[in-house]
Structure formats: structure tokens, C-alpha cells
Amino acid sequence: MNLNILSYSIYLTITAIIIFVVGQILYRNGNVFVSQLVPNHEDLCKKVNKNLLLGYYLLNLGYCAITILSWEKIETVNQLIGIIAYKTSIILFIIGILHYLNIFVITNYIKKLIN
């Protein structure tokens, strides 16, 4: 069996599950955050939060798919585990950075709209 195909499927499964779970948590908790930024506009807050979730999914899943292009040929099981762990940790790091970047940008943008 080709270890690259096995590693691609394991990697995409792990990252898709992580991205989905984190996205749902951010969506649930983010609605409260966005509602506090724009009081008395509940419909707008829900739409903004849904657009953020969609952008989050597209960006992260797209990045995961693109990173597969740069993988070298995997020849051992140890190499397979190491590459999956390394690539998954990069995805987790990027998710964290993007989350705080989104909060910073949205907060500043909405404050400008309110003032």
C-alpha cells in the first residue's frame, strides 16, 4: 500500500474533524461576542457570524488540501506519523492565529462603524 495515500486520508480526516469542532465552538461563542459589539442588531450579528464560519471553513480546509502538494514521498510508518503530527500542529497554530486576527479586525471595523 502506498503510505502517501494513507497519510493523506488520515491527515484530512483529523484536520477536518478539528476544523469542524473548533468552527462550531467559535460560531456558538462568537455570536455572543458579535452581539455585544453591535447591540440592537441581532439579525446583522447572526449574518456576520455565519459569514465568519463559512470563511473559516473554506480557508482552513483549502489550506489543508493545498499543503498536501508539498509532501515528500513517505517510506516508513515513523515518517508517516511525524509528518501527520507536524502538519496537524501547523493547522492548529494557524487556527489560533486566525481566530485572534479575526477578533482584532472585526472589533476595530465595528467600532469604526458605530462611531
Side-chain angles (χ1 to χ4, degrees), residues 10-67:
I10 292 171
Y11 170 71
L12 289 175
T13 302
I14 290 171
T15 55
I17 290 170
I18 290 170
I19 289 169
F20 180 75
V21 168
V22 171
Q24 290 302 309
I25 292 169
L26 294 177
Y27 178 73
R28 248 190 338 268
N29 297 331
N31 203 22
V32 174
F33 177 74
V34 175
S35 296
Q36 289 178 351
L37 290 174
V38 187
N40 304 325
H41 293 90
E42 188 175 324
D43 188 44
L44 175 65
C45 294
K46 287 181 182 178
K47 289 179 182 179
V48 167
N49 206 22
K50 283 183 183 179
N51 284 331
L52 287 172
L53 181 65
L54 179 64
Y56 168 81
Y57 284 153
L58 291 175
L59 182 69
N60 285 298
L61 291 174
Y63 179 76
C64 289
I66 287 175
T67 59

Side-chain angles (χ1 to χ4, degrees), residues 22-23 25-27 29-30 33 52 56 59-60 92-107:
V22 171
I25 292 169
L26 294 177
Y27 178 73
N29 297 331
F33 177 74
L52 287 172
Y56 168 81
L59 182 69
N60 285 298
L92 292 172
F93 182 69
I94 289 173
I95 287 172
I97 289 174
L98 288 176
H99 174 66
Y100 287 107
L101 183 64
N102 276 341
I103 289 174
F104 177 73
V105 169
I106 290 172
T107 303

